[in-house]
Amino acid sequence: MLEKSRRLPHLARLPMTSLRFFASLLLAVGAAHVGMTQGTPIRGLYGELKGSHYVAPENRYRIAVPVLPELGGHIFDTENVVTFSDDVSIYISIACFPLDMTTRWERDTRGIKEFLSYFFGQHVMPNFVQRFPGATNELSLFTPDIRDGALLVFTLLPGGSSFAAQGNVLDLPSAAPIVAKRGNLLFVQNDHIFILSTELAERVTQRSVFHKTPEEENEMLRTRLVELANRLHLPAPKPKI
């Protein structure tokens, strides 16, 4: 069941903290990715590739790699964020950060629904706005049925598409600038906050024929994010001493 949350504010830029640093990484578009070559191990990653799975640093989670080398698949990661992309239709990022004392207190006092809304508004949206002027939060929805409570946020990012090159091939009038749409899914598990993000590629790569309502676009993104969350394997929580 989905619950509509209040619109998240476009907050003023806050002082840089370790938690806010991840958001600039999450927003990276066109960063230097590590290319996948079929049959060749990928080196230079913070995480590991084990068979067909990516394993995050400190074994925080593992997930089947969602891109293929045949389609120009790339993987880029840091200690806390991994991005999977290809040349066709996939741009996915997964951020995973341990909660510090402050964020644990915020979670415990606010409750999970308000905490996730607060976290996105404080630590993610200001970076979207800074990186992509005119960025807006279209809609946010809370669902208690995903990962013990998750927040879905749909954002519009002018100039923020990973597929701009494909979109520009269409040679549409300059009066129709590319506005990317990204879905974001936030939840907390194992004392870590996860931010899963994916772009609706069809909105750019097929924009001359892709005519969906905002609600239909949101449902497409929601379905993909839920499937992504379901493919995420987390280790059993450590027993509390």
Side-chain angles (χ1 to χ4, degrees):
M1 183 178 72
L2 296 174
E3 298 178 24
K4 190 176 294 187
S5 299
R6 66 176 182 273
R7 288 188 172 272
L8 302 175
H10 293 177
L11 301 176
R13 189 179 180 189
L14 302 175
M16 178 65 73
T17 67
S18 59
L19 275 172
R20 291 199 68 239
F21 180 65
F22 90 88
S24 61
L25 299 173
L26 186 65
L27 292 169
V29 175
H33 293 154
V34 178
M36 298 175 65
T37 302
Q38 194 169 14
T40 303
I42 297 180
R43 304 190 183 281
L45 291 173
Y46 286 82
E48 295 182 72
L49 279 183
K50 293 186 176 180
S52 61
H53 285 71
Y54 171 85
V55 181
E58 301 178 9
N59 195 35
R60 293 175 183 171
Y61 63 87
R62 64 183 177 88
I63 188 170
V65 174
V67 292
L68 298 171
E70 298 91 336
L71 299 179
H74 291 75
I75 301 175
F76 170 76
D77 74 351
T78 68
E79 293 179 0
N80 299 295
V81 184
V82 62
T83 300
F84 304 101
S85 65
D86 65 20
D87 298 332
V88 181
S89 62
I90 293 178
Y91 178 87
I92 291 170
S93 66
I94 301 172
C96 174
F97 275 76
L99 299 180
D100 60 14
M101 290 181 62
T102 301
T103 47
R104 281 197 189 98
W105 182 86
E106 292 286 357
R107 176 197 59 186
D108 294 342
T109 55
R110 290 175 181 269
I112 191 63
K113 179 181 176 181
E114 288 300 319
F115 169 72
L116 293 173
S117 179
Y118 156 83
F119 189 93
F120 188 87
Q122 291 282 321
H123 300 293
V124 182
M125 195 62 198
N127 285 271
F128 279 133
V129 173
Q130 180 186 9
R131 180 68 185 272
F132 307 115
T136 57
N137 163 47
E138 185 178 76
L139 181 68
S140 61
L141 302 167
F142 178 80
T143 172
D145 303 322
I146 302 173
R147 299 284 182 173
D148 301 321
L151 181 71
L152 283 153
V153 186
F154 306 103
T155 51
L156 297 175
L157 309 176
S161 177
S162 297
F163 305 97
Q166 291 95 311
N168 288 332
V169 169
L170 299 175
D171 195 29
L172 292 180
S174 57
I178 293 176
V179 178
K181 186 165 187 174
R182 198 179 294 189
N184 310 276
L185 179 67
L186 290 78
F187 58 88
V188 173
Q189 284 201 304
N190 290 357
D191 266 343
H192 286 72
I193 186 161
F194 288 80
I195 304 94
L196 281 53
S197 182
T198 189
E199 182 181 346
L200 186 61
E202 296 92 333
R203 202 170 194 267
V204 177
T205 61
Q206 303 173 26
R207 60 180 177 151
S208 62
V209 295
F210 186 75
H211 303 299
K212 301 288 186 182
T213 66
E215 293 76 17
E216 290 171 329
E217 292 179 340
N218 292 345
E219 180 57 24
M220 291 174 68
L221 285 169
R222 186 198 69 81
T223 299
R224 294 173 188 180
L225 286 166
V226 170
E227 290 175 349
L228 182 64
N230 288 338
R231 296 201 302 267
L232 207 64
H233 299 278
L234 278 63
K238 295 179 180 179
K240 294 184 179 180
I241 301 176

